[in-house]
Structure formats: structure tokens, C-alpha cells
Amino acid sequence: MASASVPRPTGPLVTVDRVHAARALAAESGTDLLVLTPGSDLRYLTGYDAHAMERLTALAVPRQGEPFLVVPRLEAPMVEVSPAGALGLDVLAWDETDDPFALLAGAAAARLGSAPARVAVGARTWAEHALGVQRALPGSALELAGPVLDRLRMVKSPAEVEELALAGAAIDRVHARMAELLRVGRTEAAVGADIAAAILEEGHVGVDFTIVGSGPNGASPHHELSDRTIVAGDVVVIDIGGKTATGYRSDCTRTYVVGGSAAPDVAEWYGVLQAAQQAAVAVVRPGVTAEQVDAAARQVIAGAGWGEHFIHRTGHGIGLDSHEAPYLVEGNDLPLEPGMAFSIEPGIYLAGRCGARIEDIVVCTDDGVRSLNVGPRELVELPG
């Protein structure tokens, strides 16, 4: 669904306009009540990075009336000092012997004039919280809030783009240090530990993932770190990402050859991969659909005879989550809009031998595309 009519808050990362925009979209979609528990949706709307636990913390956004926060009384002071404290939201604090779900249901019904019929919860809401909401509102239909929140979160404000740019520059600096980290004789686990430390040293506050796929392990796109020792001539896929203090993510993949040169056939198909990644980036502009970007990469790889070895979608959105909408995959006819940020990461994987992937985070602009990663995309040869 195109979202040209969606209100787009600008300026600071978090303003009350985001909550009001969510309320407007909820009303437009026929949703009576949004209930958002700790996670990226709550942080996006309020700036409150709440700890997820058994005690209920939730932002409730009725389609009419004022939104409110339900929080354990012992955590109410944390809300007040967070960005949420400056938004002017009603904070309903509950005590240990209270039923927070009944408190939420009653406050929502008071604002709506009746119990909500359609209630939407965040995709990553704990089951015990979703079921608690449903028990407190037995006549309601429970659904996902993604159709509302994704429409807001997919298009980044200028401030969000700059946060993603800072994260991208930080992860580029980690890749620039790979010659000191990725060497013959080291295990994937040891390299991964040093990369994780470098991610923090270069400006992140958390490590999301460190994939070090050496030799045959590079043919597994989401390979876990192992005790395999890197040997001369290995092709190694390094896919790394973390989060910044504001919660925005980085995600960048480069492929290296350690202690030698790539075999001629590897260099040949890697060139195909590089051309595919370039083709997909080049096609990005407003109005092009997500699946057209996927097709641009896939056609190059398939045309060179490697299509069966490209086994995943071309990209995913990024923001407060490493993976979020939009997804660049066949069947997604969503038109791109300025401000949409996503990865472009085609790969070729040869089971039992090696693999390769090139990944950049890019942003659709008014007239094309901006890449937030600028490191070399060729097959980088490192000394042993």
C-alpha cells in the first residue's frame, strides 16, 4: 500500500506527532485500539526503551481520545526521565496487586465510549501480554499492529536517516580494520569476538550479530561462529551489525580472501555478484517497487547461470530493528518512497565450497538513491 497521505513527522527523533500519526492511521484502518509493549514500536513512538518482562508496560493508542501509558509503579520514574516524559502522555501506574490489563481495558473504553472491537498489538508482543489484553477485552478481535506501524516506520525522517548514516559509517570503520582481525590460523570464533569488540569501539553501544563464514561455512548465509580455523586461500563472508545509542542499526557484508588470491572461477562469479548488487542499487528511485529491486539483482545472477545459488531475498528494511519493512522480495509490489531505508545484499552460495555476499544500506531519495556504506565492494584480498 502506498502511503503518500501518511503524516510524516520531521525534526527530532521522537515527538508526540508520531503518536498522533499512529492514532490517525489506526482510525483510518478501522482499528479501535493499538497496544504496544516494550520493543521497537514503543521506542519509535515514545522514545521509551522499556525493559521487556512479565510486568505489563504498554502504550495504548485509542482511535479517539488521548493515548496513555500503563506502567508498573516501580518503573514510573523511569518513564518520566525518558523522552516519553516530555510527550505529555497520561501515565497510569499500577501496583503489584492491581490487574494492569483491566486498567488498560477500562481506560481505553472510557476514551472510546465503549469497549474496543478491534485491538492491534505489536508483532513482538509477548504471548502472555497479548492474551492478557484479549482476556480483559473478551469481545474484541485481536490483530497485528504492523499494517499501521509499518506505514509510519518504513519512511524515515531526515533525522532518522542521519542516525542510520552514523551507524553505517561506524560499521564501515570496522570493515576497514579487517586486515588486523581476519588472519590465517585464527578461528571464526576468535575473529568474531574481536569484531564484536571493534563494533563497540567504533561507536555502537550493542552488537547485533557477527557472521564469520569461512570456506565452506560461507555457503550458509546465517552461519553461526564456529571453531573452524581459517586457512590460506579461504573466501570469508563477514556480515556484521550493531546498534547506536539512539537505537538505530547498522548491517554491512563484505567478502574477503585471506592469505592468497581468489581462484579464477571464484573471481569470475564474484564479478557477477558485484554487477548484480550494482544493478539493484542503480534501479532504486521513487515509484519503483520492492520486487523490481529484487528482480534487478536476480536477473543478473540468473542470466550468468548462478540463479539457483542466490537463495534469499535481496534486502530488508532497517531502522530501530535490523530487519523491518520494507522487504525486497518477489511478490512485494510496494512502491518505494523517499526516506525508505533498506539493505541490498545479493549473494551466491556454493554448498560445500564457499559463498559470497555484498551488502549496503541504502536510502531512497527524491531523485534516486543514497548509499550509507562506502567501503570497497570488490573481493578484498588480505595478507595471511
Side-chain angles (χ1 to χ4, degrees), residues 334 365 367:
L334 178 79
T365 66
D367 56 2

Short mmCIF file of all heavy atoms in Angstrom, two decimals, residues 334 365 367:
data_model
loop_
_atom_site.label_atom_id
_atom_site.label_comp_id
_atom_site.label_asym_id
_atom_site.label_seq_id
_atom_site.Cartn_x
_atom_site.Cartn_y
_atom_site.Cartn_z
N LEU A 334 5.08 -3.07 -3.24
CA LEU A 334 5.09 -1.78 -2.57
C LEU A 334 5.98 -0.80 -3.32
O LEU A 334 7.16 -1.07 -3.54
CB LEU A 334 5.62 -1.95 -1.14
CG LEU A 334 5.75 -0.67 -0.32
CD1 LEU A 334 4.38 -0.25 0.22
CD2 LEU A 334 6.73 -0.86 0.84
N THR A 365 15.93 8.33 -2.23
CA THR A 365 15.87 9.79 -2.15
C THR A 365 14.83 10.32 -3.14
O THR A 365 14.20 9.56 -3.87
CB THR A 365 17.24 10.40 -2.45
OG1 THR A 365 17.59 10.13 -3.82
CG2 THR A 365 18.31 9.82 -1.53
N ASP A 367 15.26 11.75 -5.87
CA ASP A 367 15.60 11.52 -7.28
C ASP A 367 16.49 10.32 -7.51
O ASP A 367 17.09 10.18 -8.57
CB ASP A 367 16.27 12.77 -7.85
CG ASP A 367 17.50 13.20 -7.05
OD1 ASP A 367 17.84 12.50 -6.07
OD2 ASP A 367 18.10 14.23 -7.41
#
